[in-house]
């Protein structure tokens, strides 16, 4: 009980501090968990073990961040995405709805491999320049991608379904087949949601002005400083190397999707070739890297620091204690409808616990308690799976959340405030559709 209260308090403090943005996330993820571990009675040696275990789980993704962010930022600098952006601007014109719908479809295709990171790394760099040109908020781009990943992530190789299969000791493909109708409906809902977000942006003034120029945040582009910055960016363009960069990027994505090479290994290889071909000479290569060093270093630092939080949460037993607390507070009268309750609470609980803790910690306990009230394990699993999946991009301590922030150039508080409520509504709609399709009993 004591550990559960400490765990909940730790999560509340961390989430509150991240949203308030009073300090950098790094000290938040390091100091708060260590203090809580000390309060729980653990000594320096034990805490060191927790930290080591947690950071071990996040270091490979941190390395991925460094090379992937610089790679795609570099591809943007050299103009790889300019033809796509210019074509979309020409086709879309002032039709912002077409842009947001296109975003959803691109994200769906990009997520066919089931990897959250690669979906972000493909979709955001390709669409962000267009959003900026049309005076559309980057957080809208991230929100639409989050919705697309949520419904597409129900494929067997996406992760959550596989975890449920392990817990239920069930055939993953059979679980997925039952989810296919929901995915079909979910895609329709996704396109409608993207269109709605486009209408919202249009009402805010996004789009092209009568002169044909993209709407701008202000008229300060005439300043000498910004003109100089633009000239520097123009000097980075490599139009003659467009096909090389395009083929190289396709090759990197191919390595991500069709080989067992670590994600960071694929981007290391791609970045090395991109630097050699696009920027011959040590000075030119150093300059190209330094332009994005801030983002490329900041995000991995945050991720490594979040490993401290995850290590303490798991190693101290706080995660298990919290899961037991959440189950024990359910009133006896509602026991027969536990699957609905946990479905409704799936996204917010999932945001707090994270994917592995949710499926391997909370779900088995929820199934065990549900059995006492006659709730079938598959009913519980389906309800919790459907709702939780919409939280894949709004979990404050998940690697992909910070990757999205880094690529889109937004703060985590902005992502949580904007995306979480909208994705929660989509999760409830999906839950209702799942019940209507008979995926779980009410």
């Amino acid at each position: 009980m004591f550990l559960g209260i400490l765990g909940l308090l730790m999560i509340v403090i961390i989430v509150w501090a991240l949203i308030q943005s009073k300090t950098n996330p790094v000290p938040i993820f390091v100091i708060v968990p260590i203090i809580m571990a000390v309060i729980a009675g653990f000594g320096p040696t034990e805490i060191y073990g927790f930290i080591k275990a947690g950071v071990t789980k996040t270091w490979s993704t941190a390395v991925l961040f460094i090379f992937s962010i610089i790679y795609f930022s570099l591809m943007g600098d050299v103009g790889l995405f300019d033809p796509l952006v210019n074509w979309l601007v020409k086709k879309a014109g002032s039709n912002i709805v077409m842009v947001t719908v296109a975003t959803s479809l691109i994200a769906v295709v990009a997520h066919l491999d089931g990897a959250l990171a690669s979906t972000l790394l493909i979709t955001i760099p390709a669409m962000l320049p267009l959003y900026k040109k049309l005076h559309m908020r980057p957080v809208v781009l991230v929100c639409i991608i989050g919705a697309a990943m949520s419904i597409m992530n129900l494929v067997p190789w996406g992760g959550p379904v596989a975890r449920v299969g392990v817990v239920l000791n069930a055939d993953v493909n059979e679980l997925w087949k039952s989810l296919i109708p929901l995915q079909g409906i979910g895609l329709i809902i996704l396109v409608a949601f993207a269109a709605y977000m486009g209408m919202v942006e249009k009402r805010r003034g996004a789009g092209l002005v009568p002169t044909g120029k993209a709407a701008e945040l202000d008229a300060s582009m005439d300043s000498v400083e910004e003109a100089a910055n633009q000239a520097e960016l123009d000097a980075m363009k490599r139009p003659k190397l467009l096909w090389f960069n395009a083929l190289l990027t396709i090759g990197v994505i191919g390595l991500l999707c069709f080989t067992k090479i670590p994600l960071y290994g694929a981007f290391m290889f791609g970045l090395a070739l991109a630097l050699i071909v696009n920027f011959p000479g040590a000075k030119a290569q150093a300059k190209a890297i330094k332009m994005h060093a801030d983002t490329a270093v900041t995000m991995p630092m945050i991720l490594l620091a979040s490993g401290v939080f995850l290590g303490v949460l798991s190693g101290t037993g706080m995660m298990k204690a919290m899961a037991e607390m959440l189950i024990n507070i359910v009133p006896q009268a509602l026991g027969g409808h536990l699957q609905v309750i946990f479905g409704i609470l799936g996204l917010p609980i999932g945001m707090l616990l994270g994917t592995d803790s949710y499926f391997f910690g909370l779900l088995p306990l929820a199934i065990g308690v549900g059995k006492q009230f006659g709730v079938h394990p598959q009913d519980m699993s389906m309800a919790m799976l459907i709702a939780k999946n919409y939280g894949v991009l709004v979990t404050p301590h998940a690697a992909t959340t910070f990757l999205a922030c880094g690529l889109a150039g937004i703060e985590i508080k902005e992502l949580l405030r904007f995306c979480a409520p909208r994705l929660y509504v989509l999760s409830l709609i999906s839950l209702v559709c799942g019940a209507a399709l008979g995926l779980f009993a009410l």
Side-chain angles (χ1 to χ4, degrees):
M1 184 67 156
F2 176 63
L3 285 176
I5 294 174
L6 276 183
L8 287 174
L9 180 61
M10 177 173 67
I11 292 173
V12 169
I13 292 174
I14 288 175
V15 172
W16 176 83
L18 289 172
I19 293 176
Q20 292 298 315
S21 226
K22 296 294 185 181
T23 184
N24 186 278
V26 171
I28 296 173
F29 278 126
V30 173
I31 295 175
V32 176
I34 290 177
I35 292 175
M36 290 299 178
V38 171
I39 294 175
F42 293 93
T45 303
E46 293 171 304
I47 295 175
Y48 168 75
F50 302 152
I51 294 173
K52 183 178 180 180
V55 173
T56 299
K57 295 179 181 178
T58 61
W59 74 264
S60 61
T61 309
V63 176
L64 164 66
F65 277 25
I66 295 174
F67 289 93
S68 62
I69 289 176
I70 293 181
Y71 178 82
F72 277 107
S73 297
L74 193 67
M75 289 296 105
D77 290 342
V78 299
L80 173 61
F81 306 114
D82 287 356
L84 173 63
V85 170
N86 293 334
W87 182 82
L88 286 172
V89 170
K90 182 179 179 180
K91 290 293 183 181
S94 59
N95 191 347
I96 304 301
V97 174
M98 183 181 295
V99 175
T100 53
V101 170
T103 300
S104 67
L105 297 178
I106 292 172
V108 166
V109 174
H111 199 62
L112 287 174
D113 65 346
L116 302 177
S118 61
T119 303
L120 295 170
L121 291 166
I122 293 169
T123 311
I124 294 180
M127 296 302 295
L128 184 59
L130 177 59
Y131 272 66
K132 290 182 176 179
K133 282 191 175 183
L134 296 178
H135 190 186
M136 299 169 67
R137 292 172 292 177
V139 72
V140 173
L141 167 62
V142 173
C143 190
I144 294 172
I145 294 173
M149 291 195 306
S150 298
I151 192 63
M152 288 301 297
N153 210 36
L154 291 174
V155 293
W157 54 89
V161 176
R163 289 176 173 88
V164 170
V166 170
V167 173
L168 289 178
N169 194 25
D171 188 325
V172 175
N173 284 328
E174 291 301 317
L175 288 176
W176 178 50
K177 288 178 182 177
S178 66
L179 288 166
I180 290 176
L182 178 64
Q183 281 190 293
I185 295 174
L187 291 175
I188 297 173
I189 295 173
L190 167 65
V191 172
F193 173 70
Y196 166 74
M197 293 308 301
M199 290 186 285
V200 170
E201 289 301 282
K202 191 173 182 179
R203 286 198 297 267
R204 293 184 69 254
L208 300 178
V209 296
T211 61
K213 295 182 179 180
E216 298 174 356
L217 289 173
D218 51 55
S220 61
M221 277 298 295
D222 294 329
S223 68
V224 175
E225 182 180 354
E226 293 199 6
N229 291 337
Q230 187 60 47
E232 185 178 3
L233 291 175
D234 290 339
M236 300 282 288
K237 302 297 182 184
R238 299 291 188 271
K240 293 182 179 180
L241 295 173
L242 176 63
W243 286 109
F244 168 80
N245 290 318
L247 290 174
L248 177 61
T249 301
I250 291 172
V252 170
I253 294 172
L255 291 175
L256 296 176
C257 299
F258 304 114
T259 72
K260 295 183 178 181
I261 294 176
L263 294 180
Y264 60 81
F267 282 108
M268 283 180 173
F269 175 73
L271 180 60
L273 287 181
L275 286 170
I276 291 172
V277 175
N278 288 278
F279 302 97
K283 289 185 178 180
Q285 292 168 3
K287 180 180 179 181
I289 293 174
K290 286 179 181 177
M291 287 185 66
H292 306 287
D294 184 28
T295 302
V297 172
T298 300
M299 288 300 113
M301 285 181 63
I302 294 173
L303 182 58
L304 290 172
S306 71
V308 178
F309 163 73
L310 295 175
V312 170
L313 187 67
S314 176
T316 59
M318 291 181 185
M319 183 273 293
K320 183 177 180 180
M322 284 190 299
E324 292 174 347
M325 282 178 56
L326 290 171
I327 291 175
N328 291 333
I329 62 176
V330 176
Q332 292 290 320
L334 299 177
H337 305 285
L338 271 179
Q339 72 275 29
V340 177
I341 295 172
F342 276 102
I344 294 173
L345 298 177
L347 188 143
I349 293 176
M351 288 175 63
L352 296 178
L353 295 182
T355 302
D356 286 334
S357 300
Y358 181 88
F359 285 109
F360 294 136
L362 179 61
L363 178 58
L365 291 173
I367 289 174
V369 175
K371 284 182 179 179
Q372 301 176 18
F373 297 97
V375 178
H376 194 278
Q378 182 148 333
D379 288 339
M380 179 69 76
S381 299
M382 282 296 184
M384 292 181 66
L385 167 65
I386 293 168
K388 157 67 177 73
N389 224 38
Y390 278 88
V392 293
L393 204 58
V394 289
T395 302
H397 47 81
T400 47
T401 303
F402 289 102
L403 178 59
C405 291
L407 291 172
I410 59 178
E411 295 184 15
I412 188 171
K413 68 174 182 178
E414 184 180 3
L415 182 146
L416 293 176
R417 287 175 177 174
F418 186 90
C419 299
R422 290 164 176 80
L423 292 176
Y424 188 34
V425 171
L426 291 179
S427 78
L428 295 178
I429 294 174
S430 185
L431 196 66
V432 171
C433 292
L437 292 169
L439 292 177
F440 63 91
L442 295 175

